[in-house]
Each structure stands twice: as structure tokens, then as C-alpha cells.
Amino acid sequence: MKIALGLMGVAGMWAGSAGAQDIPDTEDRNRDREDIVVTAARTTLPASALPLTVDIIDRETLSRQVTVSGSVVDAISALLPAFSPTREKITGVGETLRGRSPLYAINGIPQSTPIRDGGRDGYTIDPLFIDRIEVIYGSNALQGIGATGGVVNQVTVRAPKQDGWSGRTLVQGNAGNDFSGASLGGKLGGLVNFRRGRVDATAGVAFERRGVFLDGRGRRIGYDGNQSEIQDTDSLSFFGRVGVALSDTARFEVIANRFRLEGNNHYVPVDGSRALGIPATTRLGETQGQPSTGIAQMVSASLTDSDLAGGAFTLQAFYNRTSDTFAGGILATFQDAAIAPVGTLFDQSRNVSRKLGGKVSYERAVPGFEALTVTLGFDALTDRTAQTLVQTNRSWVPQTDFRSLAPFGQANLKLFDGVVRLAGGVRYENVRLKVPDYTTLASAGSRFVTGGAPSFRRALWNGGAVLEPIKGIRAYGSYAEGYTIADIGRVLRGISQPNIRIDDFLDLTPVISNNRELGIEVAQGPLTASATYYWSSSEAGQVLVRNDDGIFNVVRQPIDIAGLELNVDTRTPVPGLKIGFGFSHVTGRTDTNADGILDADLDGANISPDRLNLNADFSRGRFSARVQGRYYLSRRFQGQPIANDFTGYRLFDAYVAYEFAIGRVMLSVQNLGNVDYVSYYSDTQGPTDNARFYTGRGRNVTLGWQAAF
């Protein structure tokens, strides 16, 4: 369901308890959207009060799309035209929202590792434990660091409303087009709720095994021996929550989540040939080194009171730790003649990040001037990250500490009985990095780098207006500043110049992105439509530049991005049938030679293709079905190698389900036409790299059963 919203709110309140917020379920999704509260916007004001573009993917839609696509990241990419095609790997490097990196969060808790972006922040929780996903588009500082492209907030399952036991189960299996044993996968999961009086608890577990991926010709898709894979892996996830209603308005809640994904090491990569049009594939064999693994652990505690002295109060603390072991290789970056002859040294890396954070906020209408709602708050975050080489115990990225202290304030003024809304605020970021002395790898010249503690202080402003002259017709305009730090790990490990002092190193300055957008939304009768135009810029942005061995470095360059988004959904005269389409056009330019002129397009690692989505949904009685199509349009990247031009492709998916007395039976088909295509990432990157010449996933069939009790 599409909602054009607004708040430039770099501030607001963290409504941290997922159980305290309501979102329409299947039976009442057509409820007035003014009732919807988007927790990622950090305010208790309704959606109609805010001037940003936001998409809400409710539980029913998410469950259906995950059945088709297999993961949250693939589901978001399939549903939202402004999101780039996924790499169909576990890494999210190069996957963008409106041409910039999104911030993934769980109940507002950041999952990213900005110091050394491992690209796995979309795989930190099982979809079974997610109630809905809130996607806020565009650069903003709502959650602090990292949301230069927007926020993808995964809100966990709600607390039970009734006393007693309840829950749900899921069983499913899937296979490639040839139904071979190698392509078989499956999933088992369950969630149990209990409530008695003011106390409630939830516990869940999910296990998933993924087989190999087959392309449209039945060939095994190439294995990424560097960034690691999502195919041929197992994942095991645990979720728990305990909540206590301290009063009719106050609640204390603790949530814990652990997600582990590990490769099975059944296959080794086989190079293809771009010149001959032969894609990379795999053969049976055991991968060197340790299995690629991703572990994410999170614990959060929140205290909320929706009516404390007439306002809403929230206090939240969290701990988050990730440990990602990457598949390795005999890569040029890892070679060191002092350890082994060049061209023979195998190594792999592990990225470990630990976050501690806290948030406090208070929001209420001003006494005597109830039309003005004000929010005040304070966020604190520390992040400690290091990347090491596992086999040789070398430090690749030194242990780096990030600290952010950020007070914020936000105001929202309602005028003329809600016909006009004005919103504005500021977040003041006080950030410090601490980098020790270290020596780079031999491939970077074994340079000694003098550590330091660079810092910056910056007020990040926002402002916007919403106009609703007629109920169901809204227009808005807004401006917001977002920020991140360039991938510090890539910068630090790539230093090859002598006598570098971290305190004087320009490449560690933050990326400040300025986002402006204009939007209009119409919801009249059977029709819901929206149009948004946006443009954003960064004077010192970050551009990913790929080395020959597939490892990316960061280059600091100016960036300008602009785009247009259109969405239309309508009910038809056929009972139960709805159709819709979405379109995204985005362009990006950068300055490649530091002459002050934007002389080249951003390439496929930094921006997504233009795209058209089509869909038809049918629901009648116990039966439901959906057919959807994605048209990725061809693109020429001006100023980039011609070999990186994108040829485009189109994909169709289908889903049918029937509600039996024992539960829902679901059948889905991904890539219904079994189209053979080269993935967007492979088609636009590394024109001479035969190891990463990947085709996309062919037809994949999933049969599942889910039931609630």
C-alpha cells in the first residue's frame, strides 16, 4: 500500500514498542490511512501529517512476496520500483534506494555497519518474525547515521491482544525448474504467543535450507567466492519478547533476536567467458577456509508511556553485534611475498561490529496551543568495528570506534483544521571517530598510518509543508539533510600513500546529502495514485569503484541524483480484482576528474535502472492470487565503458493461495517465464571479469502451508 507522507523529521519520537502500534491487517487494510502511524518516522502523528514518501508493506503482502522471492531484501526489491535489482547474493553492496544506500533497521535499531559496510544488513532477522516493513524514501537523519537513500525499518511481530495461547506455523519447500535435488530447499518455522493479564511473551524459531540457484537454461549460477552467497546455505533464527503493561498507557518490553546463516561449502566457483557469452557456474568441491557465515545478535529494552503528563514518552536501549565471515580466495589484495609466494596465498576476511545505543524522547501538543506538536529527544550510539584476515591473522581494517551524540527537536503545526501542515526541525550531530596507528597490507604498500580521532559537529535541518484542500488529495514539499560516513574500512585499508595522518585525511569527512522532493497523492473512490519528484546532492559523496579482483574501493566525488516515481492502484469492476503499476526513473551524475564539472553517469554499482512494475491481485472468499511483472529498462551510462551498458530484461512472478480449514496452502512461481538473463550487477560491472559473470535465477517453484492457532 502506497502512502505519500511527510515529515522531514530528523527528529521525533521513537515509538519503540512494535506491539503498541497498529497497522491494517488483511481484513481491514482499507481503513482510513489517516489512522496509520509509521514508527520509523519517530512520531505518533498520523501519516497524513508528514511530508515524506513512505511505503508500508503489511504482513500479508510481505508473507506473500517472501514466498515468491525468498528474502526480505528480494521482496522489497520486487515490490518497490525505486529499489535497485538485487545481486541475488547475500551482499547488498551496490543495492540502492533512489540511488543511495538505505539504512536497514529492526524496530528502529540500525543493522548497518557504517565503519566497514559488510553489505549483509538485510539478512539479520527471519521474515517470519516481521509484522510489517516501513520504507521511508530519501536522505534523512531520522535514525541518525546511514539513511542517505532512506530507511527500511522492519517492525517485529506484535504482542498478543487476548489472554491465552496463540501462534502460527510455516512449512514450505522450493525447487528450481528441473526439480533436481541440488536445487531443493525448504523452511520450517513457528511462533508462539502467551498472554495473561498485563504480562505477555512471544518465542519463535525458524530454520531454512537453500539449494543451488539455476538460471533460465538450467545451469548452476556462479558462486561469489569473495562476497559469499545466499544459495547453498542454512539459516537458523531465534526470536523472543517479554512485555509488561505497567499501566493502561505504559509498557516495558524486552526483545531479543539471533540470526545465523552459514554456507554449506558444497561447490566451488568456475569462471565463465564474457567474450563467448558463457556465464560463471560452479562444480562440486569443498571451498577452502572456513564456511562463509553471518551472525547477527540483538537485544533491546524499551519503556513507553503514551500519556505521560499529556504526552508520549519513550526510553530505549539496545545492544547489537554482527560477525560476518566472507568466502575467500587467492586474491591480489591478500598477497604478501613475506608470507607466501605471490599468487599462492589464500585468505578470507571477517568483519565484527558491536553497537551500544540509547534513545529518549518526549512528544506532546503545546498546552494552550494544541495545534502545535513538539518533540524533544536525545540519541547516543557507539559502534566498534574491525576487519581481520582469518587465515593469516592480519588486520585489514584496524579496530575503529564511532561515537555519536545527537539532541534533536521537531515541530509540527496544524493550520486551518488540517488543510495545511508545517513541519520542521533540527538534529545536532556530534560525531567522533577513533582510529589507532596501523599498517596497511602489502598490496597497499605496507604503509604505516598514524591514527587519530577526527570529529565533526553538524546541525542537520529539515522542513516541509503538507496541503490537503480536499480529503483524499494531498500535496507536499520538503527538504531534509541526511548523513553517513564514507565506508571508513574501505578507505583505511586502501591507503597507499606514505606519511598519512588520520586527523588530516580528507576522505574521512562525512557524506552530507541534501534531499528535496515534491509529491502529490490522490485517494478517490477506487483509485489511489501518487507522483513524486526528488533531487539530492552531495558535495563529497562516496562512489564505489571496483578493482579487478572484485573488491570495491571508495572514491570521494560530488554526486547529483534526480528521479521521478509514479504509482497507480485501482479496483476494477470485477469483484475482488485490483490492478496497479509503478514507475521509477532515476539519473545520477558525478565528477570523475575533480574539475568541478559533473562529467559522467553513476554506474550500475551506484544507481538502479529505470523500471516499470505491473501487478494484478484477485481475492474472493478463500481464494487469492497475484501476477506481477518487472520491466528493467536498458540504459547507457555516459562516461562509463560501453561494455557496462545495461541491456534490460523483464520478469514475471505468480502466486495463488487457498484457505482450508487446516490452514493456507500457497503456490508461487518466481520468474514465471523462465527468462535467461544476465543480472544487473554483472551486466554493468567488470567487463573483463569472467569470475563474476552471473546469470539471474530462472523459474523457481515454492509450495507452502501456514496456519494460525
Side-chain angles (χ1 to χ4, degrees), residues 204-227:
V205 61
F207 171 79
E208 183 170 6
R209 169 159 292 178
R210 303 166 186 85
V212 299
F213 294 170
L214 306 178
D215 67 13
R217 296 187 182 181
R219 301 166 295 197
R220 289 197 296 264
I221 292 174
Y223 189 95
D224 192 330
N226 178 15
Q227 292 288 345

Short mmCIF file of all heavy atoms in Angstrom, two decimals, residues 204-227:
data_model
loop_
_atom_site.label_atom_id
_atom_site.label_comp_id
_atom_site.label_asym_id
_atom_site.label_seq_id
_atom_site.Cartn_x
_atom_site.Cartn_y
_atom_site.Cartn_z
N GLY A 204 9.92 -17.64 19.09
CA GLY A 204 9.85 -18.21 17.75
C GLY A 204 11.17 -18.77 17.29
O GLY A 204 12.24 -18.37 17.78
N VAL A 205 11.11 -19.70 16.35
CA VAL A 205 12.30 -20.28 15.75
C VAL A 205 12.01 -20.56 14.29
O VAL A 205 10.87 -20.89 13.92
CB VAL A 205 12.73 -21.58 16.49
CG1 VAL A 205 11.63 -22.64 16.42
CG2 VAL A 205 14.03 -22.12 15.93
N ALA A 206 13.00 -20.39 13.44
CA ALA A 206 12.84 -20.66 12.01
C ALA A 206 14.14 -21.24 11.47
O ALA A 206 15.23 -20.74 11.78
CB ALA A 206 12.47 -19.39 11.26
N PHE A 207 14.02 -22.29 10.67
CA PHE A 207 15.18 -22.90 10.01
C PHE A 207 14.90 -22.94 8.51
O PHE A 207 13.81 -23.33 8.08
CB PHE A 207 15.43 -24.32 10.52
CG PHE A 207 16.47 -25.07 9.72
CD1 PHE A 207 17.82 -24.82 9.94
CD2 PHE A 207 16.10 -25.98 8.75
CE1 PHE A 207 18.80 -25.50 9.21
CE2 PHE A 207 17.07 -26.66 8.01
CZ PHE A 207 18.42 -26.41 8.24
N GLU A 208 15.90 -22.54 7.73
CA GLU A 208 15.74 -22.57 6.28
C GLU A 208 16.99 -23.13 5.63
O GLU A 208 18.11 -22.76 5.98
CB GLU A 208 15.47 -21.17 5.72
CG GLU A 208 15.21 -21.15 4.22
CD GLU A 208 14.71 -19.83 3.70
OE1 GLU A 208 14.66 -18.87 4.51
OE2 GLU A 208 14.36 -19.75 2.51
N ARG A 209 16.79 -24.04 4.67
CA ARG A 209 17.88 -24.58 3.85
C ARG A 209 17.65 -24.16 2.40
O ARG A 209 16.56 -24.32 1.86
CB ARG A 209 17.95 -26.10 3.95
CG ARG A 209 18.88 -26.75 2.93
CD ARG A 209 19.31 -28.14 3.36
NE ARG A 209 20.19 -28.07 4.53
CZ ARG A 209 20.70 -29.13 5.15
NH1 ARG A 209 20.39 -30.35 4.72
NH2 ARG A 209 21.48 -28.99 6.20
N ARG A 210 18.68 -23.61 1.80
CA ARG A 210 18.60 -23.14 0.42
C ARG A 210 19.48 -24.01 -0.46
O ARG A 210 20.64 -24.27 -0.12
CB ARG A 210 19.03 -21.67 0.32
CG ARG A 210 18.22 -20.75 1.22
CD ARG A 210 18.87 -19.38 1.36
NE ARG A 210 18.17 -18.55 2.33
CZ ARG A 210 18.40 -18.59 3.65
NH1 ARG A 210 19.33 -19.41 4.12
NH2 ARG A 210 17.73 -17.82 4.47
N GLY A 211 18.94 -24.44 -1.59
CA GLY A 211 19.72 -25.20 -2.54
C GLY A 211 20.47 -24.28 -3.48
O GLY A 211 20.54 -23.07 -3.29
N VAL A 212 21.04 -24.86 -4.52
CA VAL A 212 21.72 -24.03 -5.52
C VAL A 212 20.68 -23.31 -6.36
O VAL A 212 19.51 -23.72 -6.44
CB VAL A 212 22.63 -24.89 -6.43
CG1 VAL A 212 23.70 -25.58 -5.63
CG2 VAL A 212 21.81 -25.89 -7.24
N PHE A 213 21.08 -22.22 -6.99
CA PHE A 213 20.21 -21.47 -7.88
C PHE A 213 20.51 -21.87 -9.32
O PHE A 213 21.68 -21.98 -9.70
CB PHE A 213 20.41 -19.97 -7.70
CG PHE A 213 20.01 -19.43 -6.36
CD1 PHE A 213 20.32 -18.12 -6.00
CD2 PHE A 213 19.30 -20.21 -5.45
CE1 PHE A 213 19.94 -17.61 -4.76
CE2 PHE A 213 18.92 -19.72 -4.22
CZ PHE A 213 19.24 -18.42 -3.87
N LEU A 214 19.46 -22.04 -10.10
CA LEU A 214 19.58 -22.40 -11.51
C LEU A 214 19.10 -21.24 -12.37
O LEU A 214 18.14 -20.55 -12.02
CB LEU A 214 18.76 -23.65 -11.83
CG LEU A 214 19.03 -24.89 -10.97
CD1 LEU A 214 18.10 -26.02 -11.38
CD2 LEU A 214 20.48 -25.32 -11.08
N ASP A 215 19.76 -21.01 -13.49
CA ASP A 215 19.34 -19.94 -14.38
C ASP A 215 18.28 -20.44 -15.36
O ASP A 215 17.81 -21.58 -15.26
CB ASP A 215 20.53 -19.29 -15.09
CG ASP A 215 21.23 -20.22 -16.08
OD1 ASP A 215 20.67 -21.29 -16.43
OD2 ASP A 215 22.36 -19.88 -16.51
N GLY A 216 17.92 -19.61 -16.32
CA GLY A 216 16.85 -19.95 -17.25
C GLY A 216 17.17 -21.11 -18.17
O GLY A 216 16.26 -21.66 -18.81
N ARG A 217 18.43 -21.52 -18.25
CA ARG A 217 18.82 -22.68 -19.05
C ARG A 217 19.16 -23.89 -18.19
O ARG A 217 19.71 -24.87 -18.70
CB ARG A 217 20.00 -22.32 -19.95
CG ARG A 217 19.68 -21.24 -20.98
CD ARG A 217 20.83 -21.05 -21.95
NE ARG A 217 20.56 -19.99 -22.91
CZ ARG A 217 21.39 -19.64 -23.89
NH1 ARG A 217 22.55 -20.27 -24.04
NH2 ARG A 217 21.07 -18.66 -24.71
N GLY A 218 18.87 -23.79 -16.90
CA GLY A 218 19.11 -24.92 -16.02
C GLY A 218 20.55 -25.05 -15.53
O GLY A 218 20.90 -26.05 -14.91
N ARG A 219 21.37 -24.04 -15.77
CA ARG A 219 22.76 -24.08 -15.33
C ARG A 219 22.87 -23.55 -13.90
O ARG A 219 22.15 -22.63 -13.52
CB ARG A 219 23.64 -23.22 -16.25
CG ARG A 219 23.63 -23.66 -17.70
CD ARG A 219 24.24 -22.60 -18.62
NE ARG A 219 23.44 -21.37 -18.64
CZ ARG A 219 23.54 -20.43 -19.58
NH1 ARG A 219 24.41 -20.59 -20.57
NH2 ARG A 219 22.80 -19.34 -19.52
N ARG A 220 23.79 -24.13 -13.13
CA ARG A 220 24.02 -23.60 -11.79
C ARG A 220 24.62 -22.20 -11.90
O ARG A 220 25.58 -21.98 -12.64
CB ARG A 220 24.95 -24.52 -10.99
CG ARG A 220 24.30 -25.85 -10.60
CD ARG A 220 25.10 -26.53 -9.49
NE ARG A 220 26.44 -26.90 -9.95
CZ ARG A 220 26.78 -28.10 -10.40
NH1 ARG A 220 25.86 -29.06 -10.47
NH2 ARG A 220 28.02 -28.35 -10.79
N ILE A 221 24.06 -21.28 -11.13
CA ILE A 221 24.52 -19.89 -11.16
C ILE A 221 25.86 -19.79 -10.43
O ILE A 221 26.08 -20.45 -9.41
CB ILE A 221 23.47 -18.96 -10.54
CG1 ILE A 221 22.22 -18.93 -11.44
CG2 ILE A 221 24.01 -17.55 -10.33
CD1 ILE A 221 21.07 -18.16 -10.86
N GLY A 222 26.74 -18.94 -10.95
CA GLY A 222 28.08 -18.81 -10.40
C GLY A 222 28.09 -18.45 -8.93
O GLY A 222 27.23 -17.74 -8.42
N TYR A 223 29.12 -18.93 -8.27
CA TYR A 223 29.30 -18.73 -6.83
C TYR A 223 30.27 -17.59 -6.61
O TYR A 223 31.37 -17.57 -7.19
CB TYR A 223 29.84 -20.03 -6.22
CG TYR A 223 29.88 -20.06 -4.71
CD1 TYR A 223 28.83 -20.62 -4.00
CD2 TYR A 223 30.96 -19.55 -4.00
CE1 TYR A 223 28.84 -20.66 -2.62
CE2 TYR A 223 30.99 -19.59 -2.62
CZ TYR A 223 29.93 -20.15 -1.93
OH TYR A 223 29.96 -20.19 -0.57
N ASP A 224 29.90 -16.64 -5.77
CA ASP A 224 30.76 -15.49 -5.48
C ASP A 224 31.76 -15.89 -4.40
O ASP A 224 31.43 -15.95 -3.22
CB ASP A 224 29.92 -14.30 -5.02
CG ASP A 224 30.73 -13.00 -4.97
OD1 ASP A 224 31.94 -13.08 -4.74
OD2 ASP A 224 30.14 -11.93 -5.17
N GLY A 225 32.98 -16.16 -4.82
CA GLY A 225 33.99 -16.62 -3.89
C GLY A 225 34.58 -15.52 -3.05
O GLY A 225 35.45 -15.78 -2.22
N ASN A 226 34.12 -14.29 -3.25
CA ASN A 226 34.64 -13.17 -2.47
C ASN A 226 33.59 -12.67 -1.48
O ASN A 226 33.77 -12.73 -0.27
CB ASN A 226 35.09 -12.04 -3.41
CG ASN A 226 35.59 -10.83 -2.67
OD1 ASN A 226 35.86 -10.89 -1.48
ND2 ASN A 226 35.69 -9.72 -3.37
N GLN A 227 32.46 -12.20 -2.00
CA GLN A 227 31.43 -11.61 -1.14
C GLN A 227 30.55 -12.65 -0.45
O GLN A 227 29.80 -12.33 0.45
CB GLN A 227 30.54 -10.68 -1.98
CG GLN A 227 31.25 -9.44 -2.46
CD GLN A 227 31.52 -8.45 -1.35
OE1 GLN A 227 30.96 -8.56 -0.27
NE2 GLN A 227 32.39 -7.49 -1.62
#
